[in-house]
Amino acid sequence: MTTKNYFEPALTPSDPSDTDRWIPGLIRTLREVVGTGEFVPLHQPEIGDVERGYVLDCIDSGWVSSVGRYVDQLEQMLVDYTGAAHAVAVVNGTAALHISLLLAGVQADDEVICPALSFVATANAISYCGAIPHFAEVESTTLGLDAEKLAAYLQDISVSDGNERRNRITGRRIAAVVPMHTFGHPVDLDALVDVCCRFDLPMVEDAAESLGSYYRSQHTGTFGQSAAISFNGNKIMTTGGGGAILTNDPVLAARAKHLTTTAKQPHAWAYHHDCVGYNYRMPNLNAALGCGQLGRLDEMRSRKRNLAESYRQALSSVPQVRWINEPPNCSSNFWLGAIVVDGGLEARDAVLAAANQAGIMSRPIWDLLSGLPMYRQCPGMDLATSCRLLEQIVCLPSSAALGTQSKMASPGAAGVG
Ligand SMILES: *Cc1c(COP(=O)(O)O)cnc(C)c1O
């Protein structure tokens, strides 16, 4: 694992707004890494013969819906893979997050801290509880919640009566903190766990992007009270659509299972539901696909790490961009490779235009959640770093298949760094 130059911004003595001068070289460098394919998509799933076999077996068994042995098997495989004590498979990552928040006791009119720089699902899941997202700042090494700034901010704007913590300004209860591991890179979990302890707030990890990512050798999604994982088609492994809740708490795990299966009390034939439940259970058919995918997750992960290393080495020769590397003491799944482009919005957009024009699919990061119409009125701290990163980040093609290509085909990626 290399963390060399990790903290160094992509500063260059030349004028970075002079994009015509350096972008052609950047595109050539990217080409050397991603190979000669006419069009290189951002992220493609890989479905193999094992998955095919499991899905056919599932169809033949007749158990294609919300009960079946593949659901149980996938949950057990997740427990084995992540080291979490319990896993509950659900229909998607957003549902996993929704239930995780309910498990943390989030209620209507509560506020929940989450990063402004995240996929919309993070804030949506908070809204499904009737709660209000409260947007916090990220830092530029992990792209995740800035623990130090969050601590200072909570110190400033919140008060506790020894039982509940409230926002002094809005009067609403602050119910939880939801860090997100951006692109698979773990946030500074030690620091965030400390902040959550100090302010007595439960932590729910949005680990949708970080299956296969470790912080100090411990799998992400096992640090908070519970966590949400996603198996959407664009994630590191897929079940078509799907997700899972991870927790170490047996009571929460049982509650998660109950809430995601319409809150039906176990009984041989009667339908008795004891609270408002959700039809969030993952179908067996999707779980069959998931068992095949999870069986070769480590192999896909290792090719994604190869690809990341090729990007890192090749891009070290382009001073106008900084490759986003894994944070210190972390081993990332490198779900989505990304660069920080020096020179602001104009340079970023010029890179996006040139790369897409060249058939190298690339994307900006999500708009800040705090700017979306439905969340514009929500409380939030100073978001200067989030704003700056939004204007600088470009996501690059990251399919595991790209990590298989021979280094011989990419002379620019060899022998550098
Ligand atoms: C993908 C994703 C989700 C939601 O997962 P779905 O399975 O698409 O519902 C939530 N949060 C983040 C950060 C994600 O990237």
Side-chain angles (χ1 to χ4, degrees):
M1 179 177 96
T2 309
T3 53
K4 186 170 131 286
N5 293 338
Y6 190 75
F7 300 99
E8 287 175 18
L11 286 178
T12 166
S14 53
D15 177 6
S17 67
D18 183 17
T19 49
D20 291 351
R21 191 181 51 76
W22 59 268
I23 286 183
L26 170 65
I27 301 302
R28 273 195 303 279
T29 305
L30 294 177
R31 254 301 161 209
E32 284 161 3
V33 176
V34 300
T36 50
E38 197 176 317
F39 172 72
V40 187
L42 193 70
H43 201 283
Q44 264 186 323
E46 258 178 54
I47 315 279
D49 289 340
V50 175
E51 287 90 323
R52 227 177 284 273
Y54 287 174
V55 169
L56 283 175
D57 174 65
C58 179
I59 291 169
D60 291 342
S61 78
W63 296 93
V64 293
S65 196
S66 46
V67 189
R69 78 174 177 85
Y70 283 111
V71 174
D72 300 333
Q73 188 181 324
L74 181 63
E75 290 175 346
Q76 185 56 50
M77 287 176 81
L78 283 167
V79 163
D80 294 342
Y81 189 88
T82 62
H86 306 274
V88 177
V90 295
V91 285
N92 57 52
T94 313
L97 206 47
H98 178 195
I99 297 299
S100 294
L101 291 164
L102 294 178
L103 296 177
V106 174
Q107 293 177 355
D109 291 325
D110 285 344
E111 290 179 10
V112 175
I113 306 281
C114 72
L117 197 65
S118 185
F119 179 56
V120 69
T122 314
N124 284 348
I126 293 167
S127 298
Y128 298 166
C129 303
I132 292 135
H134 188 144
F135 298 113
E137 178 68 304
V138 302
E139 45 98 15
S140 57
T141 51
T142 66
L143 311 181
L145 281 183
D146 186 321
E148 206 178 311
K149 283 187 184 161
L150 181 59
Y153 179 71
L154 285 172
Q155 183 67 39
D156 182 29
I157 64 113
S158 73
V159 280
S160 172
D161 62 4
N163 183 30
E164 291 181 338
R165 179 158 295 276
R166 287 190 180 274
N167 180 333
R168 283 194 295 108
I169 300 146
T170 62
R172 288 187 291 247
R173 187 173 81 112
I174 300 176
V177 176
V178 184
M180 194 276 285
H181 307 293
T182 309
F183 302 155
H185 302 304
V187 299
D188 188 353
L189 279 157
D190 281 349
L192 271 172
V193 166
D194 271 359
V195 172
C196 290
C197 266
R198 187 174 143 205
F199 293 92
D200 202 18
L201 295 169
M203 182 166 96
V204 171
E205 293 175 71
D206 182 343
E209 303 179 358
S210 69
L211 184 64
S213 294
Y214 300 81
Y215 180 88
R216 298 192 194 283
S217 306
Q218 184 179 334
H219 198 284
T220 52
T222 62
F223 289 79
Q225 186 186 82
S226 68
I229 291 179
S230 167
F231 306 125
N232 192 28
N234 62 348
K235 297 300 199 300
I236 188 163
M237 66 159 265
T238 187
T239 59
I245 300 158
L246 301 181
T247 181
N248 286 325
D249 183 330
V251 176
L252 291 185
R255 183 93 190 130
K257 186 63 70 82
H258 190 61
L259 283 175
T260 54
T261 53
T262 66
K264 181 181 174 299
Q265 290 189 330
H267 191 277
W269 58 81
Y271 295 99
H272 185 66
H273 304 264
D274 58 16
C275 66
V276 177
Y278 299 84
N279 181 14
Y280 278 176
R281 190 82 202 255
M282 178 187 284
N284 202 39
L285 197 56
N286 300 73
L289 181 53
C291 289
Q293 287 268 286
L294 190 47
R296 59 201 197 84
L297 175 60
D298 271 335
E299 188 269 318
M300 291 193 286
R301 176 187 190 275
S302 118
R303 280 186 283 130
K304 285 171 84 74
R305 288 182 61 83
N306 286 347
L307 175 65
E309 183 55 18
S310 297
Y311 272 131
R312 189 191 68 77
Q313 288 183 14
L315 291 168
S316 67
S317 66
V318 185
Q320 290 85 358
V321 306
R322 168 172 72 91
W323 168 250
I324 296 172
N325 208 356
E326 60 194 348
N329 303 311
C330 294
S331 179
S332 175
N333 66 4
F334 281 99
W335 166 58
L336 203 55
I339 50 176
V340 173
V341 179
D342 198 13
L345 204 51
E346 212 173 296
R348 182 203 73 172
D349 287 346
V351 169
L352 283 168
N356 284 299
Q357 172 72 30
I360 301 169
M361 189 172 167
S362 56
R363 284 283 166 89
I365 197 167
W366 321 279
D367 283 343
L368 295 194
L369 298 177
S370 50
L372 300 179
M374 61 287 196
Y375 297 127
R376 216 166 268 162
Q377 305 300 320
C378 294
M381 57 193 277
D382 178 57
L383 299 170
T385 305
S386 304
C387 287
R388 190 166 45 79
L389 287 169
L390 166 67
E391 298 189 348
Q392 291 182 314
I393 288 175
V394 172
C395 301
L396 299 172
S398 301
S399 307
L402 297 172
T404 326
Q405 278 156 5
S406 153
K407 283 285 149 56
M408 301 308 290
S410 48
V416 187

